[in-house]
Amino acid sequence: MTTTRILVTGGAGFIGSHYVRTLLGPQGPAGVQVTVLDKLTYAGNPANLDPVRAHPGFALVQADVCDAAVVDRLVAEHDQIVHFAAESHVDRSILGAAEFVRTNVSGTQVLLDAALRHHADGRGVFVHISTDEVYGSIPHGSWPETHPVSPNSPYAASKAAADLIALAYHRTHGLDVRVTRCSNNYGHHHFPEKLIPLFITRLMQGRTVPLYGDGLNVRDWLHIDDHVQGIELVRTKGRPGEVYNIGGGTELTNKELTSLLLEACGAGWESVEYVTDRKGHDRRYSVDCAKITQELGYRPRKDFATGLAETVSWYRENRHWWEPLQQRAELGAAAG
Ligand code: NAD
Ligand code: TDX
């Protein structure tokens, strides 16, 4: 049997680690080896990879995706790349954009240049994990992949730049680049700075939660199992040079979501503090998933009520995982 060697950047983070655990887990594809390249910033946690550490096909390299020498060596040793590594929190990008441009834009370019040296002429697959935030904000309806990008936050702009550079390497050099643009992920191992894990962990400690603005911003929620399903379809069956939206099919206002989280954690509305809105806060995201559904057979399987209940249970049972991270989650804490 042939072995496919996959380089997963950002594989110690929330989504990347779930991808790696799935690939090397009992339900994963046969004949796959995985190397994680991760800088282990405040968001990267090697403990997320403990379940696969003993797998003979697993390796972890602590390195920066901007380090051209390390990236070149690793890309040369692998057949495919799945690129998750990024600064991922919108609020941090508002406080300071430098790290976002460095990692998200320059890091992607360094990786693409290495792929060009070692994976040209149709060899190799480069899956670039982008985001629905590149499209901007949409009051009604949903974006198809053909909608022009119009990002608003520095985070979204850095992701849009990376997304377009990745596509440019396909159009210019013929590199097999495939881009995914997914909606808001949720699930276990989610760093407690993002809405769902922040609210769950604070409510479990009897603390208040900060709801931005009027709480009527809308997000589409995608369980990490379904996201991984979508990424695998794109990696194994997607077409070079194509963009695929991946959504979860559950749109909620932050107020509606907060209500569900309060109920799941046994708290009331007195635990909610309405706080000053995020600057430039996008009102609504909504991806049209017809392309990946019709072309690759994608269908989100995780019912939101079940997924949320499982997520809350996981945080209840894994305080040892998130309690040490809370200090690091405080905005302004030094990254790295
Ligand atoms: P995360 O912040 O949990 O993890 C990011 C990982 O990248 C961490 O392990 C971190 O150590 C690593 N990293 C950061 N800078 C690095 C660098 N310079 N070199 C090497 N590694 C570095 O993020 P996540 O939520 O798992 O998101 C993964 C990807 O998915 C990102 O590209 C993000 O933009 C995208 N995305 C996330 C969501 C979401 O809801 N979380 C939605 C859409 C798209
Ligand atoms: O304390 C909070 N209070 C609040 O009301 C936080 C952290 C967030 N919010 C709001 C802002 C958003 O409308 O909740 C919504 C979700 O916020 P985040 O969890 O920060 O996610 P979002 O800004 O939507 O971005 C996420 O989805 C797209 C990921 O962090 C990105 O990496 C991804 O690209």
Side-chain angles (χ1 to χ4, degrees):
M1 190 208 307
T2 54
T3 299
T4 306
R5 300 163 303 170
I6 306 177
L7 181 64
V8 178
T9 73
F14 165 50
I15 308 171
S17 69
H18 191 57
Y19 181 66
V20 173
R21 290 189 303 267
T22 307
L23 277 186
L24 297 181
Q27 311 297 328
V32 161
Q33 288 184 4
V34 174
T35 301
V36 169
L37 181 168
D38 199 297
K39 188 180 173 186
L40 302 179
T41 68
Y42 78 95
N45 188 345
N48 293 350
L49 295 165
D50 282 349
V52 295
R53 201 165 294 277
H55 192 291
F58 171 77
L60 168 64
V61 176
Q62 181 174 2
D64 192 324
V65 74
C66 298
D67 183 334
V70 176
V71 166
D72 186 76
R73 175 177 63 78
L74 288 174
V75 169
E77 292 167 356
H78 291 79
D79 308 303
Q80 301 187 347
I81 300 166
V82 183
H83 178 36
F84 293 91
E87 287 293 333
S88 69
H89 192 35
V90 173
D91 290 324
R92 287 178 190 267
S93 79
I94 295 167
L95 292 175
E99 214 38 41
F100 286 75
V101 174
R102 202 188 72 85
T103 289
N104 301 4
V105 185
S106 299
T108 301
Q109 171 253 314
V110 166
L111 208 53
L112 285 163
D113 277 341
L116 202 54
R117 284 189 290 275
H118 303 289
H119 295 173
D121 308 320
R123 286 175 290 125
V125 171
F126 188 119
V127 181
H128 177 73
I129 309 297
S130 187
T131 169
D132 60 359
E133 298 199 17
V134 300
Y135 295 116
S137 184
I138 188 167
H140 312 287
S142 303
W143 298 292
E145 289 83 353
T146 48
H147 195 277
V149 299
S150 181
N152 293 314
S153 73
Y155 161 73
S158 69
K159 291 295 291 185
D163 176 321
L164 295 179
I165 291 168
L167 289 170
Y169 273 61
H170 169 74
R171 291 176 191 146
T172 307
H173 301 293
L175 205 64
D176 183 344
V177 170
R178 307 166 189 191
V179 172
T180 62
R181 296 180 183 155
C182 65
S183 57
N184 282 57
N185 283 228
Y186 76 101
H188 47 87
H189 294 90
H190 201 181
F191 194 79
E193 64 182 352
K194 310 284 166 56
L195 184 142
I196 289 183
L198 180 77
F199 281 22
I200 293 173
T201 53
R202 288 180 69 98
L203 291 171
M204 283 180 181
Q205 293 172 317
R207 297 164 73 191
T208 58
V209 295
L211 190 56
Y212 295 166
D214 61 8
L216 296 180
N217 303 70
V218 174
R219 296 292 183 267
D220 167 54
W221 292 96
L222 167 67
H223 191 272
I224 46 173
D225 286 354
D226 286 323
H227 189 193
V228 165
Q229 178 212 150
I231 294 169
E232 271 303 88
L233 285 169
V234 171
R235 181 182 71 83
T236 57
K237 297 185 187 155
R239 286 181 293 139
E242 293 295 320
V243 177
Y244 296 91
N245 288 340
I246 307 176
T250 301
E251 284 191 26
L252 294 171
T253 65
N254 292 336
K255 220 170 152 179
E256 288 168 330
L257 176 59
T258 300
S259 180
L260 296 173
L261 292 169
L262 289 171
E263 197 185 325
C265 297
W269 276 96
E270 65 282 359
S271 299
V272 178
E273 271 184 84
Y274 281 89
V275 299
T276 309
D277 207 357
R278 171 184 281 174
K279 279 184 176 178
H281 196 172
D282 283 335
R283 196 63 169 169
R284 177 171 175 266
Y285 302 139
S286 182
V287 282
D288 177 339
C289 297
K291 181 175 174 180
I292 191 169
T293 303
Q294 286 161 17
E295 199 177 307
L296 306 182
Y298 169 78
R299 204 166 304 277
R301 299 187 192 117
K302 183 70 86 173
D303 155 73
F304 185 72
T306 309
L308 196 67
E310 288 171 359
T311 302
V312 171
S313 296
W314 188 86
Y315 281 89
R316 191 169 285 127
E317 287 154 21
N318 289 279
R319 290 181 88 106
H320 65 278
W321 182 87
W322 56 264
E323 276 176 346
L325 303 181
Q326 276 186 312
Q327 225 176 355
R328 280 202 262 165
E330 296 298 324
L331 284 180

